[in-house]
Amino acid sequence: MAESKPPPPVGYDDTPIIPGSCWRVHDIKRPQPRVVAPGTFSTQEQAGTPPSDAVVLFDGTDLSGWKAKDGSEAKWKVENGYMEVVPKTGDISSKAEFGDVQLHVEWCAPAAVESSSQGRGNSGVFLMGRYEFQVLDCYQNQTYADGTTGGIYGQYPPLVNACRKPGDWQVYDIVWIAPRFVGDQLLSPACATVFLNGVLLHHAKVLQGPTQHKKTTAYEVHPGVGPLKLQDHSNPVRFRNIWYRPLTAYDQVVE
Ligand code: MG
């Protein structure tokens, strides 16, 4: 189909101003929302694809966007379009650092069930390298509630357990608002909305601080951006199709 020019916007210049904004109701001059081509949803056989404006952290081919804790090359395995934890090689972090984002991560716990509770398909998705959203095989596997799949580790269990069976691909979609600091003071805490496999696990949940094991937590000043960290918890968990979209403001005009 030939590309046709969209018709000019319609609107009004004589309507009241919307309170708290500089725009009129149905303002003819209000910028058109930026166009983003959506990606595709994943299936068990096939990873999804990112939207057109996403920053891709892992596209299934290599770990060039990742590093080990000491800054050296990430030592996890890449094959068949996914990366896989190589136990005892350590956590890996994205080279890219970011603050407020929409994050998408697909992961898969080992099909062969070994161990139980926190020993089964354990990994983790750490926003800003500090705030863990638990990755665990919680399909017919009980553990402490705030360590369940999708839990904000040690703080909040997920609202529900939406885990698929081991060996199935699962999908995290996280909207992350980074904490703000002024000097050495916390201005506003981190906040997250989380879906697992399309099911809501947390809605605008305010975090108490970085996630901790067997301890309560408190905020400590850190930079406004940070990496995505994936955990080596000695289980060969797989990841694919990892991307983020920085959150942008309304009426943002991008050249
Ligand atoms: Mg974990």
Side-chain angles (χ1 to χ4, degrees):
M1 199 170 76
E3 288 226 351
S4 58
K5 215 175 165 201
V10 291
Y12 299 84
D13 60 8
D14 58 354
T15 45
I17 297 287
I18 300 171
S21 91
C22 59
W23 304 106
R24 296 178 183 282
V25 178
H26 317 313
D27 199 318
I28 192 168
K29 296 199 186 84
R30 194 161 187 172
Q32 294 289 299
R34 190 161 54 88
V35 173
V36 172
T40 56
F41 293 111
S42 66
T43 63
Q44 287 305 316
E45 294 73 33
Q46 188 79 45
T49 57
S52 58
D53 65 344
V55 179
V56 176
L57 294 176
F58 179 66
D59 68 358
T61 56
D62 63 62
L63 293 178
S64 56
W66 298 80
K67 59 185 179 184
K69 193 177 179 185
D70 63 3
S72 65
E73 235 170 67
K75 294 169 189 71
W76 293 11
K77 185 163 75 177
V78 176
E79 59 182 19
N80 304 323
Y82 56 76
M83 63 162 95
E84 183 179 300
V85 176
V86 175
K88 309 294 184 195
T89 60
D91 303 342
I92 65 171
S93 294
S94 65
K95 292 177 182 170
E97 301 198 343
F98 46 84
D100 300 351
V101 285
Q102 172 190 353
L103 174 72
H104 179 95
V105 177
E106 300 178 17
W107 58 271
C108 173
V113 171
E114 291 170 3
S115 191
S116 61
S117 186
Q118 294 286 303
R120 190 166 137 182
N122 195 335
S123 183
V125 168
F126 288 71
L127 270 296
M128 308 186 90
R130 294 171 173 83
Y131 304 93
E132 183 182 12
F133 297 86
Q134 178 69 305
V135 168
L136 191 71
D137 172 15
C138 279
Y139 184 83
Q140 300 175 353
N141 175 35
Q142 295 207 1
T143 187
Y144 43 83
D146 62 22
T148 303
T149 309
I152 301 173
Y153 190 77
Q155 299 181 30
Y156 302 102
L159 292 170
V160 295
N161 178 349
C163 223
R164 290 187 173 135
K165 67 181 190 300
D168 277 3
W169 283 97
Q170 321 222 26
V171 181
Y172 254 151
D173 287 291
I174 300 175
V175 180
W176 174 252
I177 307 297
R180 288 351 188 223
F181 301 94
V182 176
D184 60 356
Q185 298 294 310
L186 177 69
L187 178 67
S188 57
C191 178
T193 296
V194 180
F195 292 86
L196 177 66
N197 302 322
V199 179
L200 183 69
L201 304 190
H202 303 280
H203 179 223
K205 195 67 210 163
V206 170
L207 276 71
Q208 298 178 357
T211 51
Q212 304 277 5
H213 182 53
K214 298 174 73 176
K215 288 193 288 197
T216 56
T217 185
Y219 282 95
E220 284 177 13
V221 178
H222 61 72
V225 295
L228 179 69
K229 186 172 85 175
L230 303 177
Q231 186 181 44
D232 169 10
H233 203 283
S234 298
N235 300 137
V237 174
R238 294 170 180 172
F239 293 90
R240 70 181 186 186
N241 191 31
I242 306 175
W243 51 262
Y244 69 88
R245 301 179 58 248
L247 299 189
T248 52
Y250 287 105
D251 305 308
Q252 186 175 338
V253 178
V254 176
E255 300 304 326

